[in-house]
Amino acid sequence: MKAANAIPARPPIRIVPPPPPGHSWESLMREALAEAVLARDAGEVPVGALVVSGNGDILARAGNAVERLNDPTAHAEMLALRAACRAVGNYRLEGCVLLATLEPCLMCTGALVHARLAGLVYGAADPGAGSVSSRLDGLDLPFLNHQVWHMGGVSEGRCAQLLRDFFKQRR
């Protein structure tokens, strides 16, 4: 039996628009992968992200920097969001899309909503902590005041292989 004050479910946004002008989702993911490689080379978990405006400008790019900055919030997505917000002079990134090589965690998923991003494109799923579709449908929660469309699996093999190789080498 549902509680009287339960929030009714709303259907998730499933329409994925085309990539911004001058790009493909795969070409943009290659840019994010380049950031992941830089993070790996710095001893970080190889995750990369970038924020792209609706007209195709890359506003920000980042790789994980948790170890380097001694900051648990220094995920690639968070750093790219911060840089993009500085670039546009606003914490709202309406019309922008974040690309990440790995499905975002709960913290990053919440930040995407608060930044009012239009969309998210990610490469590899994260069965351990992914909060977009793997462990939680975090962008489709009915009580959120903003919806972010999302699509996973872009260049998934390359994104996942980079992570597998990194952790294999660490063992």
Side-chain angles (χ1 to χ4, degrees):
M1 184 166 139
K2 284 190 169 185
N5 61 353
I7 298 170
R10 72 179 165 194
I13 297 173
R14 293 290 179 220
I15 299 169
V16 175
H23 299 286
S24 68
W25 294 127
E26 291 77 14
S27 70
L28 289 167
M29 190 59 73
R30 280 193 297 274
E31 298 282 336
L33 274 162
E35 294 301 315
V37 168
L38 291 173
R40 177 203 64 198
D41 293 348
E44 301 282 349
V45 174
V47 177
L50 53 101
V51 177
V52 183
S53 71
N55 65 11
D57 294 331
I58 296 175
L59 300 175
R61 56 183 74 229
N64 270 356
V66 173
E67 300 283 340
R68 181 173 55 86
L69 297 177
N70 291 314
D71 180 354
T73 71
H75 292 191
E77 302 93 326
M78 299 295 284
L79 297 174
L81 286 174
R82 290 174 188 152
C85 289
R86 284 191 302 273
V88 302
N90 195 327
Y91 76 95
R92 290 187 176 189
L93 297 170
E94 294 174 0
C96 295
V97 175
L98 183 131
L99 285 95
T101 58
L102 182 65
E103 178 184 0
C105 70
L106 185 58
M107 172 185 66
C108 294
T109 301
L112 300 178
V113 172
H114 289 296
R116 307 296 196 275
L117 279 167
L120 164 71
V121 176
Y122 64 90
D126 183 357
S131 293
V132 176
S133 61
S134 293
R135 302 297 289 174
L136 174 71
D137 295 331
L139 294 175
D140 298 325
L141 296 170
F143 57 82
L144 295 175
N145 63 344
H146 176 75
Q147 288 213 307
V148 179
W149 62 259
H150 50 90
M151 173 177 64
V154 174
S155 302
E156 181 175 18
R158 292 174 62 202
C159 294
Q161 190 63 51
L162 184 62
L163 287 158
R164 276 193 300 273
D165 291 347
F166 175 80
F167 287 113
K168 186 184 213 180
Q169 189 176 37
R170 286 286 188 119
R171 288 185 204 127

